[in-house]
Amino acid sequence: TDLARQGFSVSMAEPARNALRALCLADLSNGGRGIRNRMESLLINPLSRALFDRDAQSGGQYRVEALAADPAGGLTVTDIERSAR
């Protein structure tokens, strides 16, 4: 993935993964493309913002611990932890 090529390793805690899964699979009318679009808007973009806000450096491992709904109907990464490789 793009993150891996840039030297980042990201994992998700089970509650965050379950919340994301439920939102991505709630409407399957657009098939796989719809799931990918939801993943981008609900995880990839908020994760990018969270890493940028934390001045994340290449070579670190990050774990998304929690996600929360935002006013626009998307998700915000509310808790992300960094650990050494």
Side-chain angles (χ1 to χ4, degrees):
T1 67
D2 289 338
L3 284 173
R5 279 184 283 192
Q6 294 177 29
F8 293 96
S9 173
V10 177
S11 63
M12 291 184 72
E14 196 64 29
R17 183 185 314 271
N18 290 339
L20 180 65
R21 180 182 297 122
L23 287 168
C24 287
L25 297 178
D27 178 7
L28 298 176
S29 61
N30 291 318
R33 182 176 301 192
I35 293 170
R36 186 192 63 76
N37 290 344
R38 295 288 288 170
M39 286 287 293
E40 182 175 357
S41 67
L42 295 173
L43 177 66
I44 296 168
N45 293 341
L47 177 59
S48 297
R49 284 190 296 274
L51 291 171
F52 181 80
D53 289 347
R54 287 161 179 79
D55 194 28
Q57 301 298 311
S58 178
Q61 292 181 331
Y62 297 87
R63 181 172 172 86
V64 176
E65 296 292 336
L67 301 170
D70 68 22
L75 290 177
T76 300
V77 175
T78 58
D79 188 11
I80 185 169
E81 294 182 1
R82 184 183 195 284
S83 59
R85 278 195 172 180

